[in-house]
Amino acid sequence: MMGKQEDRSSLQEQLDSAKESLHAVLDIGMSGHDAADAEEQLYEILQTLIDLFKADGAVLHLREGDNLTAFMALGAGEEAAQRFTVPIGQGFEGMIAETKNHLYVQDAQADPLVISPYVQRAGIHSMLGVPLLYGGEAIGVLHVDWRKTHLFSELELEILMVAAERCSSAIAVGRLCVLNLDMNRQASMYLDIIEHDIKNLNKVIIEDLDTVLSETTLDRDARDTIDAVKRDVEESETIVDNVRILHHTLSEDLPIESMDLDGLIEDAIKEVDWPQTKSVDIHYTPQMGRIVNGSTVLKDVFYTLMNNAIMCSRGDVALDIKVDKVHIDTQPYYTVSIIDNSQEIPDETRNELFTFHLGITQAHGKALPLFLVKLVLDRLGGDIRVESRVPGDYKQGSEFIITLPAIEAQVVPEPEPVYP
């Protein structure tokens, strides 16, 4: 009876140990956002395997064309990570990659399958390796090494295969991050080239148009036409600017800093286009100390909403801008309401306002397309919605409501000037 209890106790200990071992590998995070994170995760996996298996070393090889190159190694195999390369199908590592199956060598010092001179010099005897598979293809090999003879267990093999899956995921994430970074750099380069060439070309066009305008024989209609062409040429540069903002926003490269909300709104008001054919009244009362996480493009967001209200109106425009502080899920936010008496936006079209439609935009001048306004605010942790100024009657104007996370800041009054 005592023997059975001891056997059960021993079995339970083995099961507990197995669970701990699997959890140790599975608990390694796979949430990296760049190649450096992925490499750190690979390092952690190798170190975990050495500790679990009481091994002397662990090596990770990555496939490069028709070869395997040692990418990372810990312990007894560290020297190999700097120099060793083997063709697919040759040697211990190459055979694992070709067959996509695990392989075990009990005495690496005598087995002809082991061709790495670094294994010999490190005094490695037993080696257990598995392929790194991604999309059904071998992208590398992972093996654990012992200086003494080590007979592996099925549990160790299972853990090593799980670790290989984690490595494959980390490598895929790292490569995607590198690819994404390269694509972003290329996109930035193309934007720089396009911006440079368009601005240079526009400069020449504007100079030529100014030369034509200097002719005293031009009548009023001709001058108005040329002025309109100049505005169109200048507006073409805005297209490039908007594409750059879109690129930074989508690549999460939009610079974010603490900014004075009132200063952004007031600067936007100063830049609004004031048409000569209609009356425009903008009512806004600033207040010190309203700080948000923002970006210079946030001013363009406010400008866009104000300018759209003016340009889309059929007559005189009255704009009311109100800022309130609210709490959403205990977090402080500022709401900026831009209320007009002119824009008629039916309920059924509101959901489409902030959706990208190829070839369709109402943005003019420095104004941003509304889908880009939404993207920028999302990136800043905010939101935007539109309602009727008068509930139930969209013909009485519209209210655009922007929500932005507030930064609690103490207002420090400016010192009074001291006169002698």
Side-chain angles (χ1 to χ4, degrees):
M1 190 71 176
M2 183 66 69
K4 290 183 178 180
Q5 290 179 347
E6 291 177 351
D7 290 342
R8 288 176 183 173
S9 176
S10 176
L11 180 59
Q12 186 62 49
E13 289 179 1
Q14 293 178 25
L15 288 174
D16 291 341
S17 175
K19 288 180 180 179
E20 290 178 6
S21 298
L22 283 171
H23 283 305
V25 176
L26 293 173
D27 285 345
I28 297 173
M30 289 290 116
S31 58
H33 293 88
D34 56 35
D37 288 340
E39 190 165 330
E40 183 177 341
Q41 290 159 2
L42 294 174
Y43 179 92
E44 188 175 351
I45 290 172
L46 295 191
Q47 187 60 62
T48 300
L49 290 174
I50 291 175
D51 294 339
L52 288 177
F53 294 171
K54 296 180 173 53
D56 295 295
V59 184
L60 179 67
H61 304 261
L62 296 185
R63 183 167 189 163
E64 296 179 0
D66 294 329
N67 296 310
L68 283 174
T69 299
F71 173 75
M72 182 181 291
L74 292 181
E78 285 191 33
E79 187 182 9
Q82 302 176 4
R83 307 176 187 178
F84 185 60
T85 297
V86 61
I88 301 295
Q90 296 184 26
F92 174 77
E93 300 84 356
M95 287 298 296
I96 294 174
E98 184 177 63
T99 61
K100 302 178 187 177
N101 287 318
H102 76 274
L103 194 58
Y104 169 73
V105 170
Q106 182 172 333
D107 186 0
Q109 297 295 314
D111 198 312
L113 187 61
V114 179
I115 61 176
S116 170
Y118 309 106
V119 170
Q120 304 289 332
R121 285 205 291 266
I124 298 299
H125 275 266
S126 295
M127 303 173 67
L128 177 63
V130 293
L132 304 184
L133 301 177
Y134 190 80
E137 296 298 322
I139 63 171
V141 168
L142 170 65
H143 62 83
V144 181
D145 309 326
W146 295 265
R147 283 197 171 101
K148 294 181 179 180
T149 300
H150 180 88
L151 301 177
F152 76 93
S153 66
E154 290 298 321
L155 176 60
E156 287 177 333
L157 177 59
E158 187 67 28
I159 292 173
L160 190 58
M161 291 173 67
V162 171
E165 291 177 2
R166 307 295 275 180
C167 287
S168 297
S169 298
I171 292 165
V173 169
R175 287 177 174 176
L176 286 174
C177 289
V178 171
L179 178 61
N180 184 55
L181 181 61
D182 288 343
M183 292 178 68
N184 282 334
R185 287 172 177 168
Q186 289 184 31
S188 295
M189 179 186 68
Y190 296 148
L191 280 172
D192 289 340
I193 294 172
I194 292 172
E195 183 178 31
H196 176 269
D197 290 350
I198 286 180
K199 288 186 175 180
N200 282 346
L201 179 59
N202 286 354
K203 181 180 178 182
V204 173
I205 294 173
I206 294 296
E207 290 175 352
D208 290 343
L209 291 173
D210 286 337
T211 301
V212 176
L213 282 173
S214 66
E215 294 291 330
T216 57
T217 56
L218 286 180
D219 58 26
R220 169 52 58 188
D221 289 341
R223 291 183 180 277
D224 289 345
T225 300
I226 293 174
D227 284 336
V229 172
K230 286 180 63 177
R231 287 193 296 272
D232 290 339
V233 171
E234 291 168 351
E235 190 169 317
S236 68
E237 295 185 10
T238 304
I239 298 174
V240 179
D241 293 336
N242 288 345
V243 172
R244 186 177 294 280
I245 292 171
L246 178 62
H247 169 65
H248 287 316
T249 303
L250 293 178
S251 64
E252 298 188 352
D253 194 29
L254 192 68
I256 298 176
E257 57 184 310
S258 298
M259 305 190 78
D260 175 43
L261 179 59
D262 296 281
L264 291 167
I265 295 174
E266 289 185 302
D267 287 343
I269 292 173
K270 292 175 184 177
E271 295 185 9
V272 163
D273 299 325
W274 299 83
Q276 298 177 353
T277 58
K278 64 182 76 173
S279 171
V280 177
D281 290 320
I282 300 179
H283 305 283
Y284 174 62
T285 303
Q287 178 180 323
M288 288 181 59
R290 297 192 284 212
I291 309 298
V292 296
N293 271 334
S295 171
T296 53
V297 74
L298 186 55
K299 179 195 68 176
D300 297 328
V301 167
F302 296 134
Y303 165 87
T304 294
L305 298 178
M306 298 178 203
N307 206 61
N308 284 357
I310 295 171
M311 295 303 169
C312 295
S313 69
R314 298 178 181 176
D316 297 342
V317 183
L319 280 180
D320 289 308
I321 303 174
K322 299 179 180 180
V323 179
D324 294 301
K325 192 171 186 179
V326 299
H327 283 79
I328 302 174
D329 295 332
T330 72
Q331 297 300 313
Y333 287 82
Y334 287 116
T335 60
V336 181
S337 299
I338 300 176
I339 310 166
D340 67 74
N341 64 344
S342 54
Q343 290 190 93
E344 299 180 4
I345 305 176
D347 294 351
E348 59 270 17
T349 65
R350 290 177 187 169
N351 292 334
E352 296 295 318
L353 281 179
F354 306 105
T355 302
F356 173 70
H357 296 283
L358 186 62
I360 301 176
T361 178
Q362 293 181 339
H364 298 285
K366 294 179 292 183
L368 304 173
L370 288 180
F371 85 90
L372 188 48
V373 166
K374 180 72 165 65
L375 280 175
V376 169
L377 292 173
D378 287 345
R379 178 71 179 89
L380 297 175
D383 196 12
I384 184 170
R385 69 182 192 275
V386 59
E387 299 176 355
S388 295
R389 183 175 69 90
V390 178
D393 188 358
Y394 71 87
K395 293 187 177 181
Q396 298 300 313
S398 301
E399 179 179 0
F400 283 81
I401 304 168
I402 293 172
T403 305
L404 289 166
I407 297 179
E408 303 286 1
Q410 183 177 1
V411 178
V412 179
E414 296 183 5
E416 294 291 333
V418 178
Y419 301 101

